[in-house]
């Protein structure tokens, strides 16, 4: 979903960029002081094909980091490293250090279950379970044994739905199927489901790509609110969205992290010419 | 201007080809309808044939006789003594009743022919009567007794016209007696309860399918209990846990192969392993169920894998992303969603197993067994084997019983398949 209008790419700019193919050094400020998650020299391979080249990046506490870049540049791949969802892809190999605070998440002894309880994920396509709205939200707390009284569970379900600003729309039909909601409501249900386990970090992979502008606006509002409590990494194809919701923006290009800067800076005065070419719509 | 005329040409071209396209479409539809009609016609022919041959087996000719429970002849002096009740000669009082009904019959041979009007198992029903009501001792009561199968065949084939009757082994005298009984309304076609409550017998009028039905039931229970969990577990492992490599490819090819192996080979395998090596008994539903499990497993594994594959990956991602373990993902999400598909496949496999004959022949479930099996370790036959056995019997009365047994088997199959459809409708969920 591209919001920027495409300018006709002039031939010489395009070739210029190809020739200038990125050298490897990320420009801007990829690191920060109070990092919630820190990635160092991350490489990801699908079999022999390398999808991520030597990426280092920090995500600060209560920060919203947007990841942008052309299709196929490895944003999803990188995001899925952060809660080890890539483990489900057999051919995928990850090297480098990824830390959640002091925890080395790729340590051989690290269990993915508690990790994913701390680092939640919202997917591109709304994927509620074919169960009731209530059960969707209650699923995480139930499997992790967060509560043992029905009353507490009700409490969590309500507060999660409220935080996802879905409560008013569904409070009268908590026990009807979650798949019966509209696309935007489903996505907010998925967000509620994710925050019900009180993760520390929420990863979002194009959470609005299937939604209309109104639902998108709601979710963006939600992200701003959630950032007070959670750390958020969001992949998006919409520059406006990145500009609206994020504090810092990371631009990926062909598996490499080209530039990380304050969002305002990236969209007004990008440091790297590849970034500039992308945000002005000269390729993508 | 030019553009619009070009458009016109294009739509003219479309219109010109339209007729041919619709014709082709109609032909295509007609082929499909023809195929379905052909299938339906075959089904109708099969059903009419079986029902027309088999419906008469649900009725049984019975003879009305005034039987005297003569304590001397029965040799019973104490009705509370069950040993005496069991050992008494009930056939004797039937013979006496027959002699009384036809007083002119004399001579040993004629008398023996006379006695053969009534089934030699008819005495059992008198014993039941006396056990139920001991006060009958010494009294004379009118009872309907099961006629011999020759009489049964004669009466059924006769209808209203004595010319049509199939006489078979019957002598002229017997025919005369039967006609006389019929004139006096002492011969009637009643519902054949024996057929549903007895085991096999050499005498068609005493033969029933309960033994075979119970045998099939026990065999099927063993098959279901073994093959469904094992098949589902194998499918879950192969789909969700196993790495993709040469070994799993090899396993997959072999499972697909096993699904196509002729069932008799599974019978031979069962004979060699379960009976030969493990020294289990022959002819028991346990071994039958084991063999049929082997046969059904590939079907269940293949259909279960397909059902598991059809569960959208996004559901798996959602569960794993929340921190569910793989087992929780499988148990809470994948299996419930795959269950309708797995059940449909499994029930089709079980229906196949229910109709399977060849492997059961190999493990001895073809023996002549009168007793009704009470468990998985009692010797038994199965419905299709019973059909096979009866279709091979020379007595004409077994022809209708064969067809009737086929009807019972078909009824089972239809109800199983209906159950499969119902379960699928019931469990199917949208996502
Ligand atoms: N499961 C996989 N197996 C092999 N290669 C993959 C797999 N998933 C992604 N890739 C490859 O890795 C590269 C990065 O893919 P990724 O999905 O991370 O891109 P993306 O930036 O998220 O693109 P989009 O914006 O279209 O979602 C692509 O070249 C893609 O072909
Ligand atoms: Mg992506």
């Amino acid at each position: 979903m591209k919001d920027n209008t495409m300018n006709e790419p002039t031939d010489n700019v395009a070739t210029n960029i190809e020739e200038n193919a990125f050298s490897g050094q990320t420009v801007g400020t990829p690191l920060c002081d109070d990092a919630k998650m820190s990635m160092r020299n991350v490489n990801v391979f699908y079999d022999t094909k390398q999808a991520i080249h030597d990426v280092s990046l920090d995500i600060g506490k209560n920060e919203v980091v947007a990841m942008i870049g052309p299709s196929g540049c490895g944003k999803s791949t990188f995001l899925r490293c952060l809660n080890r969802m890539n483990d489900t892809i057999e051919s995928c190999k990850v090297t480098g250090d990824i830390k959640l605070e002091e925890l080395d998440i790729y340590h051989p002894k690290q269990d993915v279950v508690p990790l994913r309880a701390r680092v939640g994920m919202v997917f591109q396509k709304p994927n509620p379970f074919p169960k009731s709205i209530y059960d969707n939200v209650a699923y995480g707390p139930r499997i992790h044994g967060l509560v043992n009284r029905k009353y507490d569970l009700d409490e969590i379900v309500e507060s999660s739905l409220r935080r996802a600003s879905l409560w008013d729309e569904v409070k009268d039909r908590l026990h009807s199927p979650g798949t019966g909601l509209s696309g935007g409501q489903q996505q907010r249900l998925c967000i509620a489901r994710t925050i019900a386990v009180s993760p520390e970090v929420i990863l979002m992979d194009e959470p609005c790509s299937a939604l209309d502008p109104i639902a998108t606006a709601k979710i963006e509002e939600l992200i701003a609110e959630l950032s007070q409590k959670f750390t958020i990494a969001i992949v998006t194809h919409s520059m406006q969205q990145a500009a609206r919701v994020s504090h810092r923006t990371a631009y990926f290009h062909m598996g490499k992290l080209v530039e990380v800067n304050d969002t305002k800076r990236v969209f007004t005065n990008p440091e790297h010419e590849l970034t500039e070419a992308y945000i002005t719509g000269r390729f993508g | 201007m030019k553009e619009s005329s070009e458009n016109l040409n294009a739509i003219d071209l479309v219109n010109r080809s339209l007729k041919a396209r619709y014709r082709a479409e109609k032909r295509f539809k007609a082929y499909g309808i023809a195929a379905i009609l052909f299938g339906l016609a075959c089904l109708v022919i099969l059903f009419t044939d079986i029902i027309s041959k088999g419906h008469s087996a649900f009725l049984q000719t019975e003879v009305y006789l005034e039987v005297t429970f003569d304590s001397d002849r029965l040799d019973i002096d104490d009705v509370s003594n069950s040993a005496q009740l069991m050992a008494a000669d009930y056939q004797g009082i039937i013979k006496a009743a027959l002699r009384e009904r036809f007083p002119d019959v004399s001579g040993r041979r004629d008398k023996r022919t006379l006695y053969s009007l009534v089934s030699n198992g008819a005495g059992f029903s008198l014993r039941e009567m006396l056990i139920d009501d001991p006060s009958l001792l010494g009294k004379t009561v009118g009872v309907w007794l099961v006629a011999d199968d020759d009489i049964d065949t004669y009466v059924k084939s006769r209808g209203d016209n004595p010319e049509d009757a199939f006489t078979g082994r019957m002598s002229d005298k017997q025919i005369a007696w039967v006609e006389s009984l019929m004139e006096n309304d002492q011969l009637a076609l009643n519902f054949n309860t024996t057929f549903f409550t007895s085991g096999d017998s050499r005498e068609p009028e005493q033969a029933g399918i309960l033994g075979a039905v119970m045998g099939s039931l026990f065999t099927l229970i063993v098959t279901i209990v073994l093959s469904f969990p094992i098949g589902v577990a194998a499918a879950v492992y192969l789909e969700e846990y196993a790495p993709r490599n040469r070994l799993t490819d090899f396993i997959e090819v072999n499972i697909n192969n096993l699904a196509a192996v002729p069932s008799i080979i599974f019978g031979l395998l069962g004979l060699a392993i379960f009976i030969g090596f493990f020294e289990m008994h022959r002819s028991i539903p346990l071994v039958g169920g084991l063999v049929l499990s082997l046969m059904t497993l590939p079907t269940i594994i293949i259909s279960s894998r397909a059902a598991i594959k059809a569960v959208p990956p996004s559901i798996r991602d959602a569960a794993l992303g929340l921190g569910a373990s793989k087992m929780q993902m499988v148990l809470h999400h994948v299996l419930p969603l795959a269950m309708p598909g797995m059940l449909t496949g499994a029930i089709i496999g079980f229906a196949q197993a229910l109709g399977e004959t060849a492997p059961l022949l190999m493990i001895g479930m073809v023996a002549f067994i009168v007793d009704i099996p009470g468990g998985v370790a009692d010797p038994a036959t199965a419905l299709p084997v019973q059909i096979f056995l009866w279709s091979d019997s020379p007595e004409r009365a077994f022809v209708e019983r064969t067809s009737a047994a086929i009807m019972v088997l078909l009824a089972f199959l239809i109800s199983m398949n209906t159950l499969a459809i119902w379960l699928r409708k019931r469990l199917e969920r949208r996502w």
Side-chain angles (χ1 to χ4, degrees):
Chain A
M1 201 167 80
K2 295 248 158 53
D3 290 12
N4 57 324
T5 47
M6 294 288 285
N7 300 327
E8 285 283 295
T10 48
D11 277 353
N12 56 0
V13 172
T15 43
N16 238 342
I17 289 165
E18 289 308 319
E19 277 162 16
N20 277 355
F22 178 62
S23 61
Q25 193 56 50
T26 307
V27 301
T29 53
L31 309 184
C32 65
D33 296 335
D34 60 339
K36 183 77 190 174
M37 295 200 82
S38 59
M39 289 64 82
R40 292 291 178 275
N41 310 102
V42 174
N43 290 286
V44 183
F45 302 85
Y46 291 110
D47 284 323
T48 52
K49 184 175 169 287
Q50 188 163 5
I52 294 288
H53 298 260
D54 204 32
V55 169
S56 297
L57 176 68
D58 279 348
I59 301 175
K61 222 172 158 85
N62 290 13
E63 190 181 33
V64 180
V65 173
M67 299 178 186
I68 60 171
S71 192
C73 68
K75 305 177 296 289
S76 300
T77 302
F78 184 68
L79 196 73
R80 288 165 62 92
C81 291
L82 305 187
N83 68 346
R84 289 185 51 178
M85 279 306 280
N86 279 337
D87 288 13
T88 58
I89 300 167
E90 227 175 283
S91 62
C92 186
K93 297 275 167 302
V94 179
T95 65
D97 290 328
I98 303 181
K99 283 202 169 130
L100 172 62
E101 288 174 339
E102 288 314 306
L103 181 76
D104 177 7
I105 70 169
Y106 272 91
H107 192 279
K109 293 226 175 78
Q110 175 60 43
D111 187 358
V112 293
V113 167
L115 170 70
R116 289 180 189 149
R118 293 179 66 186
V119 184
M121 188 154 198
V122 177
F123 297 85
Q124 175 171 0
K125 223 180 90 213
N127 54 355
F129 299 128
K131 299 176 188 260
S132 72
I133 293 169
Y134 183 95
D135 287 338
N136 261 284
V137 182
Y139 184 69
R142 272 188 188 138
I143 58 169
H144 293 300
L146 298 187
V147 289
N148 31 33
R149 283 185 307 165
K150 173 91 171 64
Y151 173 80
D152 295 332
L153 192 59
D154 291 348
E155 194 98 301
I156 290 190
V157 170
E158 178 172 349
S159 68
S160 305
L161 284 170
R162 271 192 199 286
R163 265 210 226 117
S165 57
L166 189 61
W167 174 253
D168 291 331
E169 287 157 71
V170 301
K171 61 171 184 256
D172 301 323
R173 46 170 173 154
L174 285 177
H175 294 283
S176 56
T179 38
L181 296 172
S182 77
Q185 289 173 325
Q186 286 187 19
Q187 193 63 302
R188 276 179 284 150
L189 177 62
C190 291
I191 293 175
R193 184 176 65 185
T194 304
I195 57 186
V197 282
S198 322
E200 297 156 41
V201 182
I202 300 177
L203 311 174
M204 298 183 169
D205 193 350
E206 299 180 42
C208 302
S209 65
L211 306 185
D212 71 303
I214 295 169
T216 302
K218 273 206 169 131
I219 298 215
E220 285 175 5
E221 238 172 75
L222 184 60
I223 291 170
E225 215 176 283
L226 292 176
S227 71
Q228 298 176 0
K229 199 168 170 239
F230 306 97
T231 301
I232 295 172
I234 177 169
V235 169
T236 175
H237 273 277
S238 153
M239 313 284 173
Q240 282 91 333
Q241 183 168 70
R244 280 192 297 262
V245 302
S246 70
H247 305 126
R248 273 193 308 153
T249 297
Y251 173 67
F252 284 79
H253 185 83
M254 299 184 59
K256 294 179 179 131
L257 181 55
V258 174
E259 172 171 352
V260 186
N261 261 320
D262 280 349
T263 297
K264 206 181 278 169
R265 166 96 197 264
V266 169
F267 289 107
T268 52
N269 181 20
E271 207 167 317
H272 200 282
E273 57 180 342
L274 280 170
T275 319
E276 186 180 357
Y278 180 70
I279 62 167
T280 54
R282 265 179 289 158
F283 63 79
Chain B
M1 237 7 247
K2 187 168 172 276
E3 223 177 83
S4 77
S5 79
E6 251 176 14
N7 276 346
L8 217 93
N9 283 340
I11 196 68
D12 281 346
L13 286 174
V14 169
N15 282 337
R16 211 174 315 145
S17 69
L18 219 49
K19 234 186 217 162
R21 266 155 67 181
Y22 284 148
R23 257 204 312 275
E25 186 128 355
K26 265 194 196 130
R27 264 203 309 278
F28 192 61
K29 236 182 358 203
Y31 294 147
I33 293 173
I36 288 175
L37 285 181
F38 178 73
L40 278 180
C42 291
L43 207 64
V44 167
I45 292 170
L46 176 81
F47 274 55
T48 357
D49 182 52
I50 290 172
I51 293 173
S52 67
K53 277 192 190 134
H55 74 278
S56 53
F58 298 119
L59 296 175
Q60 168 68 43
T61 309
E62 289 180 331
V63 181
Y64 181 83
L65 284 178
E66 301 275 346
V67 177
T68 309
F69 286 88
D70 184 343
S71 58
D72 288 345
R73 204 170 252 129
L74 286 170
D75 199 13
I76 297 174
D77 42 36
D78 174 13
V79 276
S80 57
N81 183 338
S82 64
Q84 278 189 3
L85 283 177
M86 294 307 281
D89 177 19
Y90 298 97
Q91 218 60 35
I93 57 173
I94 293 175
K95 288 174 183 168
L98 277 167
R99 282 198 301 271
E100 221 162 279
R101 171 67 183 75
F102 297 102
D104 339 331
V105 179
S106 60
R108 275 177 76 104
R109 269 196 53 197
D110 281 356
K111 276 185 185 161
R112 213 166 28 222
T113 331
L114 177 65
Y115 300 155
S116 72
L117 285 182
V118 174
S119 163
N120 59 18
F124 296 121
S125 59
L126 292 183
R127 186 172 73 194
E128 305 277 285
M129 280 174 69
L130 191 58
I131 290 173
D132 281 351
D133 182 6
S135 69
L136 286 177
L137 194 64
K139 288 186 190 154
T140 301
V141 280
V143 286
W144 287 98
L145 293 169
V146 174
D148 187 68
D149 62 300
D150 286 337
I151 314 301
D152 187 48
T153 308
Y154 176 84
V155 172
K156 282 174 183 166
S157 58
R158 178 186 183 275
D160 293 330
N161 186 0
E163 317 283 75
D164 291 347
F166 176 84
T167 50
R169 297 179 297 188
M170 286 171 71
S171 64
D172 290 341
K173 279 185 184 146
Q174 273 181 313
I175 294 173
W177 294 327
V178 169
E179 291 294 337
S180 134
L181 284 169
M182 285 178 103
E183 267 163 39
N184 293 306
D185 283 333
Q186 287 170 328
L187 209 60
L189 282 170
N190 294 330
F191 183 70
N192 187 358
T193 41
T194 313
F195 185 71
F196 294 99
T197 56
S198 302
D200 198 8
S201 170
R202 294 281 183 228
E203 301 295 333
E205 77 276 3
Q206 294 170 43
I209 51 157
L210 186 63
V213 167
M214 294 310 284
S216 270
L217 201 70
F218 288 127
T219 311
L220 199 62
I221 287 173
V222 174
T223 309
I224 291 173
V225 165
L226 282 176
S227 61
F228 191 64
I230 296 178
V232 169
V236 166
Y237 177 77
L238 287 173
E239 276 306 314
E240 300 289 341
Y241 290 92
R244 290 239 131 260
N245 56 28
R246 288 250 183 81
L247 181 68
T248 45
D249 284 349
F250 179 73
I251 291 175
E252 173 150 15
V253 168
N254 276 289
I255 289 173
N256 292 345
N257 260 342
L258 279 182
V261 166
S263 57
I264 192 148
I265 292 172
F266 285 104
L268 282 169
L269 183 79
L271 179 66
I273 294 180
F274 302 124
I275 296 176
F277 186 73
F278 288 108
E279 303 191 334
M280 291 172 156
H281 294 295
R282 285 169 165 274
S283 317
I284 60 175
L286 181 61
V287 176
L290 284 166
V291 169
L292 293 180
S293 298
L294 290 180
M295 203 197 77
T296 323
L297 260 179
T299 317
I300 295 183
I301 295 177
I302 291 170
S303 63
S304 300
R305 286 186 70 173
I308 291 173
K309 241 185 220 139
V311 174
S314 64
I315 296 290
R316 288 166 228 257
D317 283 347
L320 291 177
L322 277 174
S325 66
K326 205 150 184 177
M327 191 187 84
Q328 289 172 325
M329 173 193 89
V330 169
L331 291 184
H332 298 164
H333 302 287
V334 175
L335 282 187
L337 289 176
M339 198 46 82
M342 296 197 299
L343 279 178
T344 313
I347 290 177
I348 289 171
F350 297 144
Q352 236 169 28
L354 183 67
E356 200 54 70
T357 324
L360 300 183
L361 302 185
M362 300 312 301
I363 56 151
M365 287 186 77
V366 70
F368 172 69
I369 290 152
V370 177
D371 292 330
I372 292 159
V376 294
D378 290 348
T381 57
L383 259 178
V385 181
Q386 189 70 77
I387 292 167
F388 168 75
L389 284 172
W390 282 351
S391 70
D392 223 21
S393 299
E395 286 88 350
R396 210 183 125 114
F398 272 128
V399 174
E400 56 178 28
R401 283 176 171 74
T402 307
S403 294
I406 294 174
M407 281 156 73
V408 172
L409 181 65
L410 284 176
F412 269 103
L413 292 177
I414 288 171
S415 30
M416 279 178 79
N417 289 325
T418 314
L419 179 75
I421 291 171
W422 181 79
L423 273 177
R424 193 173 56 205
K425 288 250 167 72
R426 187 67 215 283
L427 295 173
E428 219 160 42
R429 280 193 263 186
R430 284 179 308 118
W431 53 72

